[in-house]
Every structure is written in C-alpha cells, then in structure tokens.
Amino acid sequence: MDITEVQVSQDNTGKKKNKKTPKKKRNGNGEGSAAQRKVEEEEDEKKMEKSEEAFPPTFSVSEIKNKQRRHFMFMKLKQEKRKQKMQLKKKKKKEREALGDKAPPKEVPKTIENQRVYDETTVDPEDEEVAFDEGTDEFSAYFNGLTNPKVLITTSDRPRGRTVKFCEQLATVIPNAHVYYRRGLALKRVIPQCIARNFTYLMVVNEDRKMPNGLVLCHLPDGPTAHFKVSSVRLRKEIKRRGKDPTEHSPEVILNNFSTRLGHSIGRLFAALFPQDPQFIGRQAATFHNQRDFIFFRFHRYIFKNEKKVGIQELGPRFTLKLRSLQKGTFDSKFGEYEWVLKRHEMDACRRKFQL
Amino acid sequence: MQHDDVIWDIIGNKQFCSHKVKTKSQNFCRNEYNVTGLCNRSSCPLSNSQYATIREEKGQCFLYMKVIERAAFPAKMWEKVKLSKNYEKALEQIDENLIYWPRFIRHKCKQRFTKVTQYLIRMRKLVLKRQRKLVPLSRKVEQREKRKEEKALIAAQLDNAIEKELLERLKQGTYGDIYNFPVHAFDKALDQQDEESESEEESEEEEEDEEDVGKREFVAEEEVEESDLSDFEDMNRLKTSSDEEEEDDESSEEEDEDEEEMETETKASKSKGKSPANGVAARKKRAHVEIEYEQETEPASKSIAT
C-alpha cells in the first residue's frame, strides 16, 4: 500500500510537473488565474519535500525508466549541485574578505600548459651535452657566422593562385629568398643543383585543392629535413589592420616555447632561415611561437612608444605549422633516416603531452 | 554444331549480348578474349569458331587460340602459348602459330601485341619517375586538429607574448643606442651627475677658503664665483640644438649618429604617421644633461626564449 501510494504520488508529481511546464509558459504569457497559482505553489511544496526525501537513499537517477521523469529528476539534481557550489563559493569569499591580508593566495587554475606531462627531453639551459651537440650540428656553420642563408622556395606541381601568392609573400618575408617554379622536376635532382648554387635552404610548399597544406623545409648541404602540415594561411590582403608591405631589412627572429630537444632543433632550423644580423632600423620581427605543438608564424612591425610600451602592427602572411616528421639528411622519403615521426595513436592519446 | 552466323544474328544484332557496350557512335565488346575491343562480326569471340587473341598477365604476353575442333570442350577450348620477351621473336612466334589463319586475325593479333608491349614499357618507365602517394585524410582527425589549433591559438596570446619579448630585448640592451628610452638608467645617471657636481662644488669651496686666507683681491661688484662658472658650463650643455654645438667630438658624433638614425626612422615610418616626433620633442624639452656613455654596441644576439 505504501509503495503504491508513493508511486501514485510520484506519478502525480511527475505528471503534474509535465503539465506544469507548459502551463507555466502559458502563465508567463499572461494567462492563468490566482487559484491555479495557488495550486501550483502547494504542489511545489509537496514536491520539495518529496525530492528531499527521495535523494538520500541510495537512489540513482538512471534507475528511473521513464525518460521524462528521469530527465526531470536529473535536472533537479543538477540544480541542487549548482546551489551547493554557489553556497560554497559565497562562503569562501566571505572568509577571504574576513581574513583580509592574511587570506591564503588565490589558487591558480589548471591549464593545459600547467598540467603538461613532464617531458624528459626538456632542455636545461645549462646542459653541456646539448650545448656541445648544438655546437657541432649542421647549423653550427650558420651560427658561427660562416654562411649566409639563401633560400629557394618552390611548390608542388602545377600550383594554383593561392599557393603562388603565398610563395611570393614568403619570399618578401625571408630576405635572400628566390621563388622558382617546379615544372615537374624531381626533388632529388633539384637538391644537388641547389647545393651547387650555394643555396642553404629548400622550401617546398605542397598544395591540395588550391590551398597550401604542407611544407617541406630542407637544410641544404646535408641538413635535416622537416615536414610540416600548414594550416590557417592568411595572405597579406586578408589580414585586417595591417601595415604597409615589409621592407628589405632583415627582420629579427623571435622563437617562443621551444623547450624540448626536438623543439630546440626545430627552433634552430627556423633561426637559420634568417640572416644572423638583423637590421634594427627596419623594426620588423618574425615570430615563431610554439603552443601545444602548433607553431604560429607571425610577421610584425614594432615601434617603441616608451620604454614600457610597444606597438606592433601585423604585416605579412600568417600561418600555422605542425611538425609531421623530421628526417636526418636531405629529402629522401624512401631511404631516409627519420629522427622523429608523428605517430598519431601514440602521441595524440594524451591531451597533456606535447612533443615540441 | 557451331553455327557462327546464327550466333551472331542473335547476339550481334537482335537480342542481348552481355559483353556489349553501346555508345552513340560505336559498339564495344568487353569480352576478355576479344582482339580489337569492338563488337563486330569478325571480332566477336563467341561468333567465330576459329579465333586468336593476345592477353597479358603480370608483364608476360600469351597467344590464345581457339579452333572449332575443340568447340565441344569448353575447358580446353583456348590454347595458350607463351610469347618471348623479344619483340621480333614474339612476332615470328605469332606468325608461326597462326600460319594459314585468316589475314584479319593475324593482323589484329600483331597489332594488339604491339600495343600491349608499348604500355608495358610505359609502366616500367613510370615506376622510375616521381610517384605520387595519395594519403587519405580522416575527417574526424582533421576536425580534431583544427579545434586544437584554435584553442592553442587562444592560449598562446601571441600579441602579448611578442610585445613582452620585444620589451625584454629592449631592457637587455640588444638594440644598443637606437632608442633613447632607458629612463631608469637616464635618471640614475642624472642623479649621479648631480651628486658629482655637488661634491665638486664643496671641494672647490674648501680649497678656496684655504688659499684666500690673507690674500687681497680686487673684485668686481658682481661677484663671479667659480661655482657660478661651473653652472655656466652646465648651461652650455643644456643647449639642445645639437647641430650648432661644438662640443667634444664623442658627444657630437654620438648625437649625429642619433640624429641620422632618428631621421631614417622618421623616413621609414613617415607613412604611418607614427613618427617619433614625440620622442624627439621630449628629448629637446627635457632638462638635458649630455652624458657621454661609452657603450659597446653588442652584436644582436637572437635568444631562444623558453
């Protein structure tokens, strides 16, 4: 009897609730009598009691078979939780104000960067081994000032308008860069010719469906080859509030957040694209900013308004890169020795683990 | 009994042949044993009891022959002869095997054999050239990466990061003498100068007291004290129209360089209208003490900021 009674009353509340929501809406629209409202209030009270009684026993919302009632109970549960959370917050705030200066410092919220899984290849600034490696790797010639960068930019076969424009704009950003059409040549034959003509870098922009989507960056004498995925390309005319075209001055290079060993080698790869002595008169800066394994490239002109404020104005193209593979030696996809390859299942499994 | 004409009558013209492909201008035959590929009375393998074809398997060419004697044994109907890899020898083989056969079939077989060898050669050449590898994209993965990229962009706060880096470089002095902002250093130097001048004055006064005891001097009404003189020297330095000044070479050179650089800066940024006019005006208005720094303009180093 008790059981049936309870059931009936629950039924009542459920059904009444269902009827109530449309009724409430109607009330909101302006109809409804006082008597109705009274009845609803009574039902509200009843419901409150019932709900408070219903929750404490081990009762999971998912056990109710009826979808509408289950949904209703779940909403109630959520509201309760939210209320409790608000109360907790208020209490904490009061405590803070009461303590005044002695209050404990605010907790730092968790971000992905905070929670990043510690990578054992993170470079310590004073690591001697790394310093030695960097002193003797393929970029040492550049960093010791012996060679000047000379970049050859080309595309895959039959580039379409957007890719061509992108290559042209890249050539204005990187000093001493030349754009050549591919015309169906094999890269393996192109590379010895480049070396013969003293190029230090080969950049191949790959295209798919009229949009650039890949970049192969090959350091020439015998240097590493990096293959990137290119996304979010914005050409110069698509950038809002941009400045005039970049001048011929060599820009400064800003490399941010390249912390691991792999990141370091990629960072050096980018740094060696630009001449060693930037011309500060030009006030141009090229930035490669690494965030969560995405490398954002921006090109700005800056001006110091006073010693605490600087204004920057974006000039040239912007794009993002994601490293797909790093190969020792020049471009050779079949027989090359890969230092690092993006393996999606292993590396993308954890949200807080990054490679660069 | 094999009645070729009857068969052709049925499948060729009137009724249905499952190998036939009709187009607006021509009929094709998709039968694998067909020599020419067209649907003709003389090319149809079903309606010709004596027939021969060339077929190719994995780079090897074979001559297939069908004669009316074996028409009752479908499993053994086609006789298969392997042709040599040498083109001329293969042609001789075809001739030898199809001796006394109708001219049409011999000719068409040789034609087909030529075509087959040509395309085999081209296949071998293509393998040596650049091969394009098609990599399939998974839409789910692409969408995931796109969303991650957006979030990373928001987390990166690029403008702030760049500005911070530039200001740090300014503080560290990688820009050398180009910008005359370093206000802290400036003020410090000013204070130092003030202290020095004060201490100098004090020491000078002490010396004067010691020397002048007992000496008589004829002094003008307006007392020109040495301390005033030192002030005048400072006043000289206060003049900011640096072109007219003739000071020590170092300072003038410095100033000239600065002027030039400011000019080039104005030229470079004229178009933007953000001229460092404010900077120049500020320089002129400030109570200005020329301090000669000897600074080594450090070679600009690119720092990898972590």
Side-chain angles (χ1 to χ4, degrees):
Chain A
M1 289 300 282
D2 275 304
I3 300 169
T4 49
E5 276 180 17
V6 168
Q7 271 185 349
V8 161
S9 51
Q10 271 191 350
D11 274 342
N12 278 343
T13 50
K15 281 189 192 160
K16 276 180 186 159
K17 185 60 185 176
N18 293 335
K19 282 189 202 160
K20 190 180 282 191
T21 38
K23 265 191 193 169
K24 264 194 180 163
K25 287 182 191 162
R26 268 189 267 136
N27 278 344
N29 287 345
E31 292 182 45
S33 59
Q36 236 185 7
R37 270 186 231 132
K38 266 192 192 166
V39 166
E40 285 174 6
E41 284 172 13
E42 284 176 0
E43 286 173 354
D44 254 339
E45 288 173 7
K46 268 194 215 165
K47 231 186 324 104
M48 287 304 292
E49 289 173 44
K50 291 274 160 56
S51 60
E52 282 170 7
E53 284 172 10
F55 284 141
T58 49
F59 162 80
S60 152
V61 179
S62 55
E63 281 172 18
I64 306 177
K65 297 289 184 184
N66 182 327
K67 182 169 179 174
Q68 279 184 321
R69 254 183 266 155
R70 188 171 63 234
H71 180 68
F72 165 65
M73 284 299 178
F74 182 65
M75 287 291 136
K76 294 279 298 298
L77 192 70
K78 280 252 157 159
Q79 279 177 16
E80 286 291 321
K81 277 196 179 166
R82 223 179 291 151
K83 224 201 277 181
Q84 284 176 4
K85 197 174 168 188
M86 288 300 294
Q87 285 173 356
L88 196 64
K89 259 195 182 172
K90 275 191 181 170
K91 212 168 65 168
K92 273 196 175 168
K93 196 172 175 189
K94 273 192 184 163
E95 282 175 15
R96 271 192 88 83
E97 285 172 12
L99 284 180
D101 279 337
K102 294 186 238 165
K106 267 195 179 173
E107 294 163 33
V108 180
K110 295 186 195 171
T111 62
I112 293 188
E113 281 79 26
N114 285 349
Q115 308 294 98
R116 178 174 173 174
V117 167
Y118 174 68
D119 196 337
E120 57 201 7
T121 59
T122 311
V123 172
D124 198 17
E126 289 128 38
D127 201 345
E128 289 173 354
E129 199 183 313
V130 171
F132 176 71
D133 275 341
E134 293 185 354
T136 54
D137 75 352
E138 294 111 347
F139 298 108
S140 51
Y142 165 77
F143 281 108
N144 292 336
L146 296 172
T147 51
N148 267 336
K150 192 171 170 198
V151 181
L152 176 69
I153 303 181
T154 182
T155 65
S156 54
D157 290 339
R158 297 188 177 261
R160 310 306 272 168
R162 216 179 142 84
T163 316
V164 169
K165 282 190 200 151
F166 178 57
C167 287
E168 284 172 23
Q169 293 185 2
L170 262 185
T172 55
V173 162
I174 304 175
N176 206 3
H178 306 270
V179 182
Y180 282 99
Y181 280 127
R182 182 74 173 274
R183 286 163 117 246
L185 301 168
L187 274 183
K188 285 202 194 156
R189 299 228 184 99
V190 167
I191 288 178
Q193 287 190 14
C194 284
I195 299 180
R197 297 190 198 185
N198 281 330
F199 278 96
T200 54
Y201 260 101
L202 174 66
M203 240 194 198
V204 183
V205 177
N206 192 41
E207 172 186 313
D208 175 51
R209 293 221 195 117
K210 306 182 193 177
M211 303 243 289
N213 75 342
L215 179 70
V216 174
L217 193 56
C218 183
H219 184 78
L220 270 186
D222 49 347
T225 308
H227 176 43
F228 297 96
K229 174 173 103 149
V230 170
S231 46
S232 309
V233 174
R234 298 271 175 275
L235 297 176
R236 218 162 259 153
K237 62 179 179 180
E238 295 160 9
I239 297 183
K240 302 181 185 170
R241 288 186 282 272
R242 67 177 171 96
K244 300 234 166 150
D245 286 337
T247 55
E248 291 288 325
H249 298 110
S250 326
E252 298 173 41
V253 178
I254 299 177
L255 299 161
N256 278 341
N257 277 347
F258 289 95
S259 53
T260 62
R261 194 77 188 74
L262 178 67
H264 252 247
S265 19
I266 300 289
R268 286 162 72 80
L269 195 73
F270 288 133
L273 269 175
F274 295 91
Q276 269 270 29
D277 304 312
Q279 294 167 314
F280 297 126
I281 302 178
R283 284 185 289 129
Q284 291 170 151
T287 310
F288 292 90
H289 181 106
N290 171 38
Q291 188 81 13
R292 303 184 193 173
D293 280 356
F294 287 98
I295 303 171
F296 297 102
F297 172 81
R298 300 285 185 271
F299 193 66
H300 291 279
R301 190 176 275 143
Y302 62 87
I303 178 164
F304 286 107
K305 295 182 192 159
N306 57 40
E307 69 144 18
K308 298 231 172 96
K309 258 174 103 187
V310 57
I312 53 176
Q313 194 182 43
E314 183 155 9
L315 305 179
R318 61 156 82 155
F319 51 91
T320 50
L321 300 170
K322 185 159 202 249
L323 182 66
R324 277 222 201 105
S325 68
L326 181 63
Q327 180 204 339
K328 245 188 171 129
T330 56
F331 180 73
D332 189 342
S333 48
K334 273 196 249 171
F335 305 112
E337 178 195 339
Y338 280 91
E339 270 187 38
W340 184 86
V341 172
L342 174 72
K343 293 186 192 128
R344 201 165 45 83
H345 281 291
E346 290 175 21
M347 297 174 183
D348 273 3
C350 176
R351 275 178 222 257
R352 286 170 278 281
K353 187 154 192 246
F354 303 112
Q355 318 294 327
L356 283 185
Chain B
M1 282 277 301
Q2 280 288 80
H3 299 279
D4 294 338
D5 289 331
V6 173
I7 297 177
W8 176 249
D9 222 13
I10 298 174
I11 62 176
N13 290 325
K14 290 182 191 158
Q15 291 193 17
F16 178 73
C17 173
S18 64
H19 303 284
K20 191 196 288 200
V21 174
K22 271 190 178 179
T23 47
K24 275 190 198 158
S25 48
Q26 267 226 348
N27 291 339
F28 294 102
C29 182
R30 284 176 55 208
N31 193 327
E32 30 188 46
Y33 287 98
N34 190 317
V35 175
T36 55
L38 309 171
C39 189
N40 281 328
R41 172 68 182 85
S42 41
S43 314
C44 186
L46 302 172
S47 50
N48 284 307
S49 324
Q50 192 184 41
Y51 199 73
T53 316
I54 305 284
R55 277 178 77 187
E56 173 262 329
E57 263 171 59
K58 293 185 198 159
Q60 277 279 23
C61 295
F62 296 95
L63 170 67
Y64 284 76
M65 289 178 288
K66 157 178 147 175
V67 291
I68 196 166
E69 283 84 20
R70 295 196 301 269
F73 310 105
K76 302 178 205 159
M77 199 153 56
W78 290 96
E79 178 187 345
K80 185 169 161 177
V81 174
K82 183 167 169 181
L83 296 173
S84 94
K85 300 246 174 166
N86 188 340
Y87 182 67
E88 280 95 25
K89 278 206 191 136
L91 285 181
E92 283 172 12
Q93 269 181 304
I94 294 176
D95 266 335
E96 187 192 313
N97 276 309
L98 296 182
I99 198 169
Y100 307 133
W101 279 52
R103 221 179 301 136
F104 176 79
I105 294 187
R106 255 188 286 151
H107 187 232
K108 289 296 178 189
C109 274
K110 285 188 210 164
Q111 269 191 342
R112 194 180 170 88
F113 176 69
T114 311
K115 257 285 167 339
V116 165
T117 46
Q118 282 175 350
Y119 81 60
L120 285 175
I121 291 171
R122 206 207 279 167
M123 271 170 69
R124 276 179 247 137
K125 264 197 207 160
L126 275 180
V127 170
L128 295 175
K129 276 196 184 176
R130 310 163 53 210
Q131 282 178 321
R132 196 158 296 195
K133 187 174 169 193
L134 293 175
V135 178
L137 293 176
S138 160
R139 197 181 311 158
K140 187 166 132 191
V141 173
E142 294 303 309
Q143 292 287 60
R144 213 194 290 159
E145 298 244 312
K146 204 168 124 189
R147 200 180 305 137
K148 277 194 185 167
E149 185 190 322
E150 285 168 9
K151 303 234 162 155
L153 181 62
I154 295 173
Q157 294 178 343
L158 281 170
D159 290 342
N160 289 351
I162 297 177
E163 288 174 8
K164 221 166 72 169
E165 175 68 22
L166 288 170
L167 285 172
E168 263 199 46
R169 288 192 182 178
L170 180 66
K171 265 193 204 160
Q172 280 182 352
T174 44
Y175 298 130
D177 261 343
I178 303 179
Y179 305 104
N180 268 335
F181 289 140
V183 176
H184 293 311
F186 206 68
D187 285 339
K188 265 193 209 161
L190 253 182
D191 292 335
Q192 269 185 7
Q193 182 69 6
D194 287 339
E195 287 174 15
E196 284 175 15
S197 58
E198 282 177 13
S199 60
E200 279 177 18
E201 289 174 13
E202 287 176 9
S203 62
E204 285 172 1
E205 286 174 10
E206 286 176 10
E207 288 174 7
E208 286 176 23
D209 290 339
E210 288 175 4
E211 287 176 2
D212 290 343
V213 168
K215 275 196 177 172
R216 289 184 196 185
E217 273 183 32
F218 295 97
V219 186
E221 275 188 34
E222 298 169 5
E223 286 190 346
V224 181
E225 291 179 357
E226 291 192 28
S227 52
D228 282 343
L229 268 180
S230 64
D231 278 343
F232 279 134
E233 284 173 9
D234 286 345
M235 286 288 290
N236 273 338
R237 289 185 196 160
L238 272 177
K239 271 192 200 162
T240 53
S241 53
S242 44
D243 295 330
E244 305 163 358
E245 269 181 335
E246 288 174 13
E247 272 198 357
D248 304 338
D249 292 336
E250 277 182 24
S251 56
S252 64
E253 276 177 12
E254 265 185 12
E255 283 167 0
D256 281 341
E257 283 175 10
D258 290 342
E259 279 292 320
E260 281 174 13
E261 281 169 339
M262 293 300 272
E263 280 172 13
T264 50
E265 276 188 307
T266 48
K267 277 179 197 163
S269 62
K270 230 188 224 176
S271 51
K272 286 194 301 176
K274 272 191 197 174
S275 58
N278 292 335
V280 173
R283 268 206 321 177
K284 286 190 175 176
K285 283 180 190 166
R286 244 189 252 154
H288 190 76
V289 177
E290 271 300 324
I291 301 163
E292 296 151 12
Y293 316 108
E294 274 184 32
Q295 274 188 12
E296 298 171 8
T297 53
E298 296 160 10
S301 54
K302 276 173 254 180
S303 53
I304 300 178
T306 55

